[in-house]
């Protein structure tokens, strides 16, 4: 309990009392129900909170332990049996660490059955045109649970080593070996599940051989080397714990592709392709792509097709390290999406290409992703490192939805929230409906009008923690803040909506006690968005925290929800009940 003094009209001082957070009525009622009945406490934890039998015992032991007061006693695990006080019960419920809002998944299915937290141009510190390349953003991404790191490999100016940079731009390079050493140090700091390095290869064969040596010497036993036989199914994340796997174009396949494209170019058929669903880059739509995994003039010039240094044995040393073989989109869209029963692979499309593909060949995209891997990346015009709405890619089964992690937009906050699922390990199991095929080959149709599958009710009781994490004048120079909460769903179009509470004036500990109902047609891909704003009558409202939570892993009952800043960094104290 305390008070804050604010200067008012610069003439006199107004004092506002800052009360401690008090339990809302539902918490008081729950405590009253078991105040004299230990069995009622078990019923509350099992029934209202929906905890498993093992977790019920763990929580009861926690709540019944010790005789000290406050949150400290909740972690003592004393064997003494007693019902908790209202103060201790409320402290437990309002602790994001002891009473988290989300729960965990099976990791033994093939790799293609999971969405994977994926970075784009992971080495860039800022925009896509002239920012520095560095290992620092790679480390930050790994610390946040990203499981796919992208490195663009180019020869250095003297052509005797490998640099990492965004080709065709003014971005400053960083040595590849520096990036690899940082990756090794931080690869499993946030998750023990496999780390994928996608290599965008612009190298001659002698430099490819040098990269092979770098990878094997730097990573040692951490590097997964696949069986040389074609892979009919990807291994599971569980089978690749603490392993680093490589994904890129096999060098020989790349040579053959360039030769085929050159032959096609000479035949005069290229002009016909845009009207036939082609994925080949042409000048008229070059601004819709950054050229990744597409044929362009630079690729042709840098090809090792006629390189006298090319040797099959050096190419093989590089090739044998590739677990997830990538390929360029070839010819017609329907050909690029064909499923080979004897081989799995990775296909990369820009967000623009994906949008076109899902309109004309949506079912084929989903069938492809049931067995193979689809990587989607931002279009080239996003030079400020902004991101796109990931929902179209997710609803069509794309596993690697690559994002610019240095951007701090709404889309990135959705991505961060999506991968809070499954304990934040960077892998989220795809819903069963994206993995099923009907007797006549039919698959899930994201465009279909679907019935309501789940009703989600969210009651926002209260918030606290701003008085600990912010200065008293951060939100308003003359009075305590006026907070309100926005609550909504990000998901398929039919499910997406935002609602808000009333504004609570002059309170550091706002009590809203308001309930919202959301009707969900695809709850398996729905994200709960929560954002606190501080109302300002004359200016733009101030940001008070946000979080995004996967609906499919929400725990029922009364839960503590920690809030984060715009970049996704969790505040120390700010939370909602």
């Amino acid at each position: 309990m305390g008070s804050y003094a604010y200067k008012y009209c610069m003439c006199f001082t107004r004092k506002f009392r800052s009360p401690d957070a008090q339990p809302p009525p539902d918490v008081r009622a729950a405590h009253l129900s078991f105040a004299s009945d230990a069995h009622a406490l078990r019923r509350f934890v099992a029934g209202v909170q929906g905890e498993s039998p093992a977790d019920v015992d763990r929580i009861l032991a926690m709540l019944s332990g010790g005789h000290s007061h406050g949150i400290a006693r909740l972690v003592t695990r004393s064997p003494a049996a007693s019902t908790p006080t209202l103060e201790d019960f409320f402290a437990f419920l309002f602790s994001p660490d002891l009473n988290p809002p989300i729960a965990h998944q099976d990791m033994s299915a093939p790799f293609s059955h999971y969405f994977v937290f994926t970075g784009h141009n992971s080495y860039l510190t800022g925009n896509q045109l002239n920012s520095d390349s560095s290992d620092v953003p790679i480390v930050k991404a790994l610390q946040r649970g990203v499981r796919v790191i992208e490195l663009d490999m180019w020869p250095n100016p003297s052509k005797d080593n490998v640099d990492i940079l965004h080709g065709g731009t003014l971005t400053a390079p960083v040595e590849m070996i520096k990036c690899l050493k940082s990756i090794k140090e931080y690869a499993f700091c946030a998750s023990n599940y496999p780390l994928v390095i996608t290599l965008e290869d612009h190298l001659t064969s002698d430099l490819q051989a040098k990269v092979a040596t770098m990878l094997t010497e730097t990573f040692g036993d951490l590097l997964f080397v696949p069986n040389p036989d074609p892979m009919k199914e990807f291994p599971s994340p569980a089978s690749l714990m603490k392993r680093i796997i490589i994904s890129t174009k096999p060098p020989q396949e790349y040579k053959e592709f360039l030769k085929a494209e050159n032959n096609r170019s000479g035949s005069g058929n290229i002009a016909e392709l845009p009207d036939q669903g082609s994925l080949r880059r042409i000048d008229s739509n070059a601004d819709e792509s950054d050229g990744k995994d597409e044929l362009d003039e630079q690729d042709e010039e840098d090809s090792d097709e006629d390189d006298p240094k090319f040797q099959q044995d050096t190419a093989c040393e590089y090739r044998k390290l590739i677990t997830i073989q990538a390929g360029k989109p070839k010819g017609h869209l329907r050909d690029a999406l064909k499923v080979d029963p004897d081989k799995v692979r990775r296909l990369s499309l820009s967000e623009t290409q994906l949008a076109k593909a899902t309109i004309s060949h949506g079912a084929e995209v989903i069938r492809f992703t049931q067995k193979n891997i689809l990587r989607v990346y931002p279009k080239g015009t996003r030079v400020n490192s902004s991101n796109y709405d990931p929902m179209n890619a997710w609803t069509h089964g794309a596993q690697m939805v690559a994002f610019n992690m240095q951007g701090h937009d709404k889309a990135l906050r959705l991505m961060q929230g999506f991968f809070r699922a499954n304990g934040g390990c960077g892998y989220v199991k795809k819903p069963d409906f994206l993995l099923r095929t009907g007797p006549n080959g039919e698959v899930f149709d994201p465009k279909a009008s679907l019935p309501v599958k789940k009703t989600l009710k969210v009651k926002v009781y209260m918030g606290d923690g701003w008085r600990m994490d912010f200065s008293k004048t951060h939100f308003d120079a003359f009075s305590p803040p006026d907070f309100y909460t926005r609550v909504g769903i990000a998901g398929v179009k039919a499910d997406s909506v935002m609602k808000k509470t009333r504004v609570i004036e002059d309170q550091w500990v706002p009590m809203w006690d308001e309930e919202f109902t959301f009707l969900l047609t695809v709850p398996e891909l729905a994200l709960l968005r929560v954002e606190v704003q501080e109302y300002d009558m004359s200016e733009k409202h101030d940001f008070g925290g946000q979080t995004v939570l996967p609906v499919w892993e929400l725990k029922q009952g009364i839960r503590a929800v920690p809030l984060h800043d715009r970049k996704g960094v969790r505040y120390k104290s700010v939370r909602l009940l």
Side-chain angles (χ1 to χ4, degrees), residues 488-508:
I489 298 294
V492 298
K493 188 174 181 180
D495 296 348
S496 299
V497 65
M498 286 299 288
K499 304 178 182 182
K500 65 180 182 180
T501 67
R502 67 188 186 281
V503 177
I504 303 296
E505 296 182 351
D506 298 334
Q507 288 292 334
W508 282 100

Side-chain angles (χ1 to χ4, degrees), residues 388-396 410-411 413-415 417-418 431 433 444 446-448 450 456 487-498 518-529 548-552:
Y388 51 100
D389 185 348
M391 198 54 63
N392 186 43
W394 285 334
T395 56
H396 286 84
K410 171 191 166 185
R413 291 196 286 271
L414 295 181
M415 180 68 68
F418 189 91
F433 64 75
F444 174 70
K447 301 182 184 69
L450 301 171
L456 174 68
V487 184
I489 298 294
V492 298
K493 188 174 181 180
D495 296 348
S496 299
V497 65
M498 286 299 288
F518 303 100
L519 305 179
L520 306 177
T521 60
V522 187
E524 297 91 343
L525 293 175
L527 297 168
L528 176 65
R529 292 182 57 203
V548 177
L549 299 170
V551 168
W552 64 92

